[in-house]
Amino acid sequence: MEFRGLKAQYQNLKTQIDSAISRVCSEAAFISGTEVGELEKQLATYVGARHCITCGNGTDALVLALMAWGIGSGDAVFVPDFTFFASGEAPAFLGAVPVFVDVEKDTFNISVNALEEAVIYTINNTNLIPKVIIAVDLFGQPADYPGIREIADKYNLLVLEDAAQGFGGAIGNKMACSFGDISTTSFFPAKPLGCYGDGGAVFTDNDNWAEIIRSLCVHGKGSSKYDNVRIGMNSRLDTIQAAILRIKFKAFTGYELESVNNIAKRYTDLLGSKGQVITPEIKSGYYSSWAQYTVICKNSGHREKIESVLKKHGIPSMVYYTKGLHGQYAFSGSISGGWDFKNTDYLVQRVLSLPVHPYLEEEDINKISCIINNIQVLKGETI
């Protein structure tokens, strides 16, 4: 059984994908071919952003956004504690200080209350200048952008949406990758919309920022690649990856997103009523792209038991994440203030992600749910 269904997806789209790759090879425009520009137009229209600039990967996308804003030494960037390393790595890479913020226990996304506490602490107790909130759309569900935007406006902060896992999600009629002053996503193969290698994109409505980011992607180019007006990087999406993404994007919007939501609902129906695990919470008016279907186990021992039994039946599972960013050695000395990370600490001991993808069969969902619901627990174990 596959965790993200990439082999099943390829078999379903094989004819179109092979044809797209062959076309790019025949044209031999492997860098900045026409497929790249066409993909950017499609993605910008889909998310409702004025500009889409593709790049080498999702981490580069975050760095490019922060570079466009001139973020660096002496700046504070607020980052959810329960997320992938890259969200905190990007500001640290530029010399800024990531200030970690606890998350909501039910949605896994940044806590607005904890965010304001962290901002106030940073203002009153450090010499750092608060500049940016990085909000992550973890596991596919957008963060609380109405609340985040209120904090951002109150303290004059920029919002960077890290939608590496959130592409396809929404709040009402507004799509993920349109909530930030700048938003980013990743096309890593296992993401909701993934290519066959690394890839990423940056979205914004700001013409000036978009122009700067396009320049930064190609060594800070000006009128040509031999006219360099700023220090940039080499971060471009290959034409073959763009061609693959255009095929997969059609499937993603045509049926995959709806299918994965139906599968997630089926999981929740089967698992939620038994009380063995806590199923994911999707807020009213929110729509998830289900990068992961993550349950909360009773404790670490219960999680290990579920992992072990699933493995015996040939069923993969994953733990995202085993520690909060505040516990990563690379971030030793970063600001943690006087607050704790009780929700992050709770989650890292209990979360378990199950196989979820648009091609998951009903019998597999039933099998996984049945195994979890029938695992014996020790007397007194509670979530």
Side-chain angles (χ1 to χ4, degrees), residues 6 84 159 273 284 296 349 374:
L6 295 178
F84 183 60
V159 177
S273 61
S284 177
I296 301 175
Q349 295 295 320
N374 286 284

Side-chain angles (χ1 to χ4, degrees), residues 14 30 47 72 97 101 148 168 249 328 364:
K14 185 179 189 305
F30 299 111
V47 306
V97 175
V101 180
I148 292 166
F249 178 67
Q328 295 284 0
D364 292 331

Side-chain angles (χ1 to χ4, degrees), residues 126-184:
T126 77
N127 294 321
L128 299 172
I129 302 173
K131 287 288 186 71
V132 179
I133 301 165
I134 296 181
V136 180
D137 302 340
L138 202 70
F139 301 152
Q141 178 174 200
D144 179 6
Y145 288 102
I148 292 166
R149 182 58 66 181
E150 186 175 331
I151 299 298
D153 291 344
K154 184 175 180 179
Y155 296 97
N156 194 31
L157 302 172
L158 293 161
V159 177
L160 174 53
E161 178 187 7
D162 180 352
Q165 300 179 22
F167 189 84
I171 303 176
N173 294 321
K174 191 171 175 61
M175 300 298 297
C177 293
S178 70
F179 294 110
D181 296 299
I182 297 178
S183 301
T184 67

Side-chain angles (χ1 to χ4, degrees), residues 55-74:
C55 60
N57 54 70
T59 305
D60 281 0
L62 292 171
V63 173
L64 287 162
L66 295 171
M67 288 177 71
W69 288 334
I71 301 302
S73 179

Side-chain angles (χ1 to χ4, degrees), residues 206-272:
N206 187 292
D207 295 344
N208 182 52
W209 294 340
E211 182 180 356
I212 292 171
I213 292 167
R214 286 197 182 279
S215 167
L216 290 169
C217 284
V218 190
H219 303 287
K221 76 179 185 69
S223 58
S224 75
K225 66 179 180 179
Y226 299 117
D227 171 37
N228 304 93
V229 298
R230 55 178 59 86
I231 301 298
M233 64 172 72
N234 179 24
S235 186
R236 297 169 294 188
L237 184 70
D238 295 341
T239 307
I240 284 179
Q241 301 299 347
I244 291 167
L245 283 166
R246 290 188 69 197
I247 300 299
K248 295 181 72 172
F249 178 67
K250 186 175 181 180
F252 180 77
T253 56
Y255 60 87
E256 286 187 348
L257 192 54
E258 181 180 4
S259 175
V260 79
N261 268 271
N262 290 335
I263 287 165
K265 183 178 184 304
R266 182 64 177 149
Y267 263 137
T268 299
D269 289 343
L270 293 170
L271 293 171

Side-chain angles (χ1 to χ4, degrees), residues 4 28 46 95 97 137 158 180 203 241 286 339 380:
R4 285 298 295 172
Y46 176 72
V97 175
D137 302 340
L158 293 161
F203 300 86
Q241 301 299 347
Y286 284 58
W339 58 91

